[in-house]
Amino acid sequence: QQQVKQSPQSLIVQKGGISIINCAYENTAFDYFPWYQQFPGKGPALLIAIRPDVSEKKEGRFTISFNKSAKQFSLHIMDSQPGDSATYFCAASASGGYQKVTFGTGTKLQVIP
Amino acid sequence: KAGVTQTPRYLIKTRGQQVTLSCSPISGHRSVSWYQQTPGQGLQFLFEYFSETQRNKGNFPGRFSGRQFSNSRSEMNVSTLELGDSALYLCASSPRTGGSTIYFGEGSWLTVV
């Protein structure tokens, strides 16, 4: 019940295209859903996050779509650039409890010119 | 504001030895959590400390331990190292516990030979 399932494992997108990464969860206590971006040799960095009271959040080229009834959320990267090539992790945590973030297994994105 | 600082960045240890990793959180952050990252298992939660108390612990053997000091700095220790402990150990801090954004350091790369 604590798992966050992420797909696809890897993704190759043409420059200028849309990258889409999907995640699903089961624990209904989760109420905070961040996405992290990790470059090789670096720690994960927060990209964008959403709470279940909204269905979509957009920051620049990055958009999170959230479907509470389906317990699914996704990251869309519009106009993908080679500099976006990294590993992306979705995550979930529950407020009111301890700070334990459950991560998806990661998606390695490669944007080709 | 300085980010999360982890030391050392890289280290090589021999099986059976022990290792101590250090983490200085972002100023003002009281929660420090530790994660292990490996290619096969992804990001796995080790434990969280808040106000010098361990609040939550992941599914790791007792060889993995940690502590937090009054200035919120934290250390984690792994005793009797095994080859499988080779991983990137990430420290993350947040202003409070439970359902808030965590900010990662660059990590400590541990290789056990």
Side-chain angles (χ1 to χ4, degrees):
Chain A
Q1 197 184 16
Q2 288 294 318
Q3 276 187 319
V4 176
K5 295 182 180 178
Q6 182 172 348
S7 63
Q9 192 173 6
S10 62
L11 184 60
I12 299 175
V13 172
Q14 204 85 25
K15 178 183 174 182
I18 302 173
S19 304
I20 302 174
I21 304 171
N22 300 299
C23 286
Y25 66 98
E26 294 186 357
N27 187 349
T28 54
F30 287 150
D31 60 0
Y32 180 64
F33 303 89
W35 284 87
Y36 285 84
Q37 179 189 56
Q38 185 176 29
F39 293 104
K42 301 289 187 180
L46 178 70
L47 191 61
I48 186 172
I50 197 168
R51 295 198 184 269
D53 51 345
V54 296
S55 60
E56 187 174 281
K57 183 174 181 181
K58 184 176 180 179
E59 288 184 4
R61 296 184 294 109
F62 301 92
T63 300
I64 300 178
S65 296
F66 188 85
N67 186 328
K68 189 174 180 179
S69 60
K71 291 186 280 188
Q72 295 174 347
F73 58 111
S74 59
L75 176 70
H76 292 63
I77 305 174
M78 312 299 287
D79 186 28
S80 298
Q81 299 296 313
D84 297 330
S85 298
T87 300
Y88 293 80
F89 293 93
C90 61
S93 66
S95 57
Y98 304 127
Q99 187 65 290
K100 177 184 176 182
V101 180
T102 301
F103 287 88
T105 50
T107 296
K108 189 170 183 178
L109 170 66
Q110 185 182 0
V111 181
I112 55 177
Chain B
K1 227 181 211 183
V4 177
T5 304
Q6 291 187 245
T7 57
R9 289 295 319 280
Y10 305 93
L11 65 166
I12 300 174
K13 290 286 188 178
T14 304
R15 267 184 306 174
Q17 286 187 314
Q18 73 164 17
V19 66
T20 299
L21 308 177
S22 180
C23 172
S24 292
I26 293 171
S27 177
H29 286 194
R30 295 169 62 194
S31 168
V32 173
S33 47
W34 289 87
Y35 291 79
Q36 182 195 64
Q37 186 175 25
T38 59
Q41 298 296 318
L43 280 154
Q44 301 288 313
F45 173 78
L46 279 156
F47 29 64
E48 184 217 358
Y49 286 87
F50 184 82
S51 295
E52 301 178 66
T53 303
Q54 186 181 91
R55 294 299 188 95
N56 201 357
K57 191 176 182 347
N59 274 342
F60 281 84
R63 300 185 297 107
F64 292 80
S65 63
R67 58 178 176 167
Q68 187 181 34
F69 303 96
S70 58
N71 61 359
S72 293
R73 194 176 67 83
S74 177
E75 289 180 348
M76 69 162 281
N77 183 276
V78 188
S79 62
T80 320
L81 284 166
E82 301 176 359
L83 295 179
D85 297 333
S86 295
L88 176 64
Y89 290 89
L90 291 159
C91 170
S93 75
S94 63
R96 61 183 187 278
T97 189
S100 59
T101 302
I102 62 172
Y103 300 89
F104 285 95
E106 301 277 78
S108 292
W109 286 95
L110 170 65
T111 301
V112 182
V113 297

